[in-house]
Amino acid sequence: MPADGRCDAPRDGHERPRDAIDHPAGTTVSIRDSAHISAEVCVIGAGAGGAVAAAELAEGGMDVVVLEEGHWHDPDTFTARPPEMLAQLYRDGSQTITLGNPPILLPLGRGLGGTTLINSGTCFRTPARVLEHWQREFGLDVSEESLRPCFERVEEALSVGEVTPELAGANAEVARRGAAHLGWSHGYLRRNARGCVGSGVCAFGCPTSAKQHTGITYIPRAERAGARIVTGARVERVLLENGAASSLARANGVPVARGVQARMASGARVQVRAPIVIVAAGTIHTPLLLARSDLGAQSGQLGQNLSLHPATAVFARMEEIVDMAHGVPQSFYVDEFAGEGIIFEGVAGPPAYAAMSLPLTGARHAEAMADYRRLAQFGVMVSDSSRGSVQALAGRPLIRYDLTDADLRRFRTGLARMRELFEAAGAREVYLPLPDGVSPERARLRDLKLMAFHPLGTARADARPAHGVIDGELQVHGVRGVYVADGSAVPSSLGVNPQMTIMALATRLAFGLLGREVEGSQINEEAACHS
Amino acid sequence: MPTGSPSRGSLDTFIASAPTLQRAGMRALVALARRPRGATLLGRVPAAEQLAQVVTSLARYDDPELSRTLGWDGAAVVARGRALRRAEGRP
Ligand SMILES: Cc1cc2nc3c(=O)[nH]c(=O)nc-3n(C[C@H](O)[C@H](O)[C@H](O)COP(=O)(O)OP(=O)(O)OC[C@H]3O[C@@H](n4cnc5c(N)ncnc54)[C@H](O)[C@@H]3O)c2cc1C
Ligand code: SF4
């Protein structure tokens, strides 16, 4: 029980305090006035990294407080209508944009579950070649073998299994047919879903609660194990014993975590006193929070090294009825060109979603949309060599990112091959996301219409203090007790979707803090398939 | 040609949730796109036309009636999801 914060009885369904937790486990921690809370661990952010770390630590017997800026999103409020859901579930209505050539839309989640609430559910382990690169380049002690128990544990917790062809739907079948015809390597994706019925709106709030996002898996576990979870709490600073890191460093002391200072949506102030602080506010917000706290800047790498996996999508008009939103939107991949840094993954959605991403205008747009039932769509994702940065401007993130020529070439190749894929599948017409008359081979940076879903690297791990913000144990260099457990810790582009990597690293951190070996899973992989 | 009219309520909610700069930009584009002369003007700047298209079509095709004619019944999807969730005791 917090010293001054209020722990109310389970909610009665009538009153719903805004600055409170209000989620399936049923307990309400509401903070209406300024409060002081003490705990052993304070976790900032309840997304992929934060929720996992909080649950493992609480179950391991530690006294944990989670502070999350967003709220619990009640699935009863999910309407499957994109404009409403973009406004409700995404930070800034999904309108986070990078500055650069070309600008890139970078949607982020906010609330219990963080971005896992609105992600597609695709689950990949970190590829072995990436882990080897991390060992060589960043001096990190990670390998397939050492991370295996972490992945097993996360996969079991989230019911990860391969999508069946029936659930994958006709959109995936179009891509499968094309890839098979061309002899390209492909397969059905593994996802964290349980009881999925292929309703096609993963990115707009799963109305079935089939997607096992961390807000309905790890967060309730954390709470059952005694963690206190405070929503609507924006952490402003990480606090250190005896003041700021820079002054202590100047005095040759080693700064030690004291806790955090947060502000509730109501304006109330909250201070959490905790000797261990785990920052998991996501790749865009973690570096800003560390910078506000005068932490992690010594290497010059804070806010740098931003990779994004920029992506675009191609539409095709098929002979057959596709009904792209009938089925799991991201259920199938083509990895024939993964070695070149190009991967194709399914994307799809209801008419409103398709209409906003269809790269046509005027009468052609209307005509293609009238045939929505025959539209297929697939995504091109690039494992980027480009690197951007994030810094604060008037309290908001200013994200800079320019695509390199090498990545532009990857998009040219990816778009040309995607057209080939659809043609091999029998498309009547292919709609590339390029201006009229521009072929993939001649596409310029400004011709590309890009989005990105996987920001990583802005507080990267590197064993050497001069090269990274955090060390191999994810502790901020030069400080005791402040750790990072989110996408910002991931030191390089992965080439695959990152949530499993982030969760596995958070698991490893939690067990490290508990001083225990990670217990993997005994579960039969086949039996884990619930999709 | 589809006949649905843009759903103003959801468009307004969507635009209101964006950061100040994007909000102002989207409002200006939508206002232009709604006027015949504005639409002609937009046609001369492909990037702006594409952006206006994104915003207005997001709202237009959110119309449940139009969606249903295109084979998508969002309300049925939600109702089924909620029923399954309750039946299986999910959060
Ligand atoms: C549309 C979409 C689809 C995706 N699909 C996939 C997929 O299929 N597979 C996959 O692997 N990945 C996918 N991703 C990416 C994946 O979801 C993210 O990489 C992952 O969730 C990032 O985890 P995180 O812990 O770094 O941050 P997040 O999950 O974003 O969590 C960060 C949390 O911190 C909170 N926060 C921020 N600042 C503060 C503060 N100051 N105080 C308190 N709280 C704060 C935020 O509100 C947020 O809830 C997708 C992303 C998007 C946008
Ligand atoms: S496809 Fe499955 S996981 Fe996605 S929203 Fe529908 S039921 Fe949920």
Side-chain angles (χ1 to χ4, degrees):
Chain A
M1 185 73 81
D4 300 310
R6 263 182 241 164
C7 288
D8 291 359
R11 68 184 170 97
D12 61 13
H14 296 297
E15 244 196 327
R16 189 172 290 201
R18 194 68 187 138
D19 296 337
I21 180 161
D22 176 11
H23 68 78
T27 307
T28 301
V29 175
S30 85
I31 294 176
R32 298 184 186 89
D33 308 314
S34 295
H36 286 84
I37 301 174
S38 295
E40 285 173 283
V41 184
C42 178
V43 177
I44 304 165
V52 171
E56 294 291 12
L57 288 167
E59 287 175 352
M62 291 187 104
D63 181 15
V64 177
V65 168
V66 179
L67 300 180
E68 163 57 51
E69 183 179 3
H71 294 274
W72 158 245
H73 296 289
D74 184 345
D76 272 340
T77 64
F78 297 171
T79 61
R81 298 182 64 169
E84 281 172 5
M85 294 297 98
L86 290 171
Q88 184 177 320
L89 306 180
Y90 287 68
R91 182 179 286 275
D92 290 330
S94 80
Q95 297 298 305
T96 307
I97 295 180
T98 66
L99 276 186
N101 196 7
I104 300 175
L105 201 60
L106 181 65
L108 303 170
R110 185 169 70 159
L112 292 188
T115 307
T116 71
L117 172 75
I118 42 85
N119 78 13
S120 306
T122 295
C123 294
F124 277 103
R125 291 188 182 188
T126 322
R129 63 179 159 70
V130 172
L131 294 174
E132 284 155 21
H133 173 65
W134 291 359
Q135 286 173 18
R136 275 197 319 273
E137 193 75 20
F138 306 108
L140 303 182
D141 182 19
V142 285
S143 65
E144 252 188 316
E145 203 41 49
S146 68
L147 284 181
R148 187 191 310 278
C150 302
F151 281 114
E152 284 176 357
R153 209 171 160 80
V154 174
E155 287 165 358
E156 184 176 357
L158 300 186
S159 306
V160 174
E162 192 175 290
V163 183
T164 61
E166 298 71 40
L167 268 182
N171 195 51
E173 174 51 23
V174 168
R176 193 209 58 77
R177 199 166 65 224
H181 188 83
L182 294 163
W184 290 354
S185 166
H186 60 267
Y188 291 95
L189 286 163
R190 285 165 62 77
R191 309 179 69 235
N192 53 329
R194 193 184 177 90
C196 170
V197 289
S199 57
V201 287
C202 308
F204 306 109
C206 175
T208 319
S209 286
K211 192 174 66 191
Q212 299 294 289
H213 68 83
T214 57
I216 59 169
T217 50
Y218 280 98
I219 286 293
R221 264 176 58 182
E223 216 197 6
R224 277 195 297 274
R228 286 160 289 165
I229 294 159
V230 185
T231 56
R234 180 175 183 272
V235 175
E236 294 177 325
R237 287 179 71 86
V238 176
L239 305 171
L240 301 173
E241 296 289 0
N242 308 322
S246 52
S247 52
L248 276 169
R250 277 197 295 276
N252 268 344
V254 178
V256 178
R258 177 159 62 94
V260 311
Q261 173 186 305
R263 191 183 281 276
M264 305 301 294
S266 62
R269 283 189 174 281
V270 177
Q271 278 214 8
V272 177
R273 194 172 175 91
I276 298 175
V277 174
I278 299 181
V279 187
T283 300
I284 301 305
H285 290 274
T286 282
L288 303 193
L289 173 56
L290 290 176
R292 284 199 296 276
S293 311
D294 189 22
L295 282 168
Q298 292 86 332
S299 64
Q301 302 300 324
L302 185 64
Q304 304 298 309
N305 310 303
L306 172 70
S307 64
L308 293 176
H309 284 166
T312 190
V314 177
F315 279 83
R317 205 151 151 190
M318 308 303 297
E319 294 291 345
E320 77 256 38
I321 297 285
V322 176
D323 278 338
M324 65 160 77
H326 297 217
V328 175
Q330 193 161 90
S331 52
F332 195 78
Y333 68 93
V334 177
D335 63 349
E336 178 71 16
F337 312 106
E340 296 167 48
I342 303 164
I343 187 160
F344 299 162
E345 284 182 356
V347 276
Y353 154 81
M356 75 171 174
S357 42
L358 184 65
L360 298 171
T361 50
R364 289 190 68 207
H365 184 276
E367 196 227 329
M369 276 308 296
D371 212 9
Y372 165 78
R373 301 197 67 186
R374 289 188 168 74
L375 290 180
Q377 191 192 17
F378 227 69
V380 179
M381 182 173 96
V382 158
S383 181
D384 44 344
S385 60
S386 319
R387 290 293 179 267
S389 65
V390 54
Q391 66 188 92
L393 182 71
R396 297 185 61 87
L398 174 71
I399 311 165
R400 294 172 194 273
Y401 183 94
D402 289 310
L403 210 66
T404 58
D405 285 345
D407 288 341
L408 171 63
R409 282 195 294 278
R410 290 188 175 100
F411 273 109
R412 287 177 176 155
T413 307
L415 288 172
R417 289 185 178 149
M418 184 63 88
R419 182 169 61 193
E420 226 181 303
L421 178 94
F422 276 129
E423 284 170 355
R428 272 171 24 198
E429 262 183 292
V430 177
Y431 306 122
L432 293 170
L434 294 172
D436 270 348
V438 175
S439 66
E441 299 74 17
R442 296 188 162 274
R444 296 154 300 181
L445 285 174
R446 65 170 181 269
D447 296 328
L448 298 175
K449 295 176 186 65
L450 303 185
M451 291 183 79
F453 308 96
H454 305 155
L456 299 170
T458 52
R460 77 172 180 202
D462 190 309
R464 301 158 302 173
H467 295 266
V469 176
I470 55 178
D471 64 19
E473 308 308 313
L474 309 188
Q475 183 164 222
V476 174
H477 279 297
V479 184
R480 267 213 319 272
V482 184
Y483 297 83
V484 175
D486 59 18
S488 68
V490 176
S492 75
S493 189
L494 297 169
V496 295
N497 313 48
Q499 67 171 344
M500 286 289 114
T501 297
I502 296 166
M503 294 184 199
L505 291 176
T507 303
R508 179 171 166 270
L509 168 62
F511 276 83
L513 290 171
L514 291 168
R516 295 188 200 149
E517 290 288 310
V518 182
E519 293 155 32
S521 154
Q522 302 302 316
I523 205 166
N524 172 345
E525 294 219 337
E526 288 305 308
C529 177
H530 297 278
S531 291
Chain B
M1 280 277 279
T3 54
S5 59
S7 140
R8 292 286 287 265
S10 62
L11 181 62
D12 290 345
T13 313
F14 170 66
I15 293 178
S17 65
T20 322
L21 215 65
Q22 285 96 311
R23 197 160 61 222
M26 283 193 279
R27 284 199 174 125
L29 282 174
V30 171
L32 263 179
R34 281 188 182 136
R35 293 191 183 87
R37 273 194 57 207
T40 318
L41 240 146
L42 278 176
R44 293 194 201 128
V45 190
E49 189 187 26
Q50 180 81 42
L51 220 67
Q53 174 90 54
V54 166
V55 184
T56 54
S57 61
L58 174 65
R60 178 180 299 277
Y61 290 91
D62 185 47
D63 176 38
E65 216 172 296
L66 173 57
S67 284
R68 272 195 296 276
T69 67
L70 299 176
W72 167 256
D73 186 344
V77 163
V78 169
R80 181 182 179 213
R82 285 183 191 164
L84 280 168
R85 192 151 49 78
R86 299 237 152 77
E88 289 168 27
R90 288 200 214 117

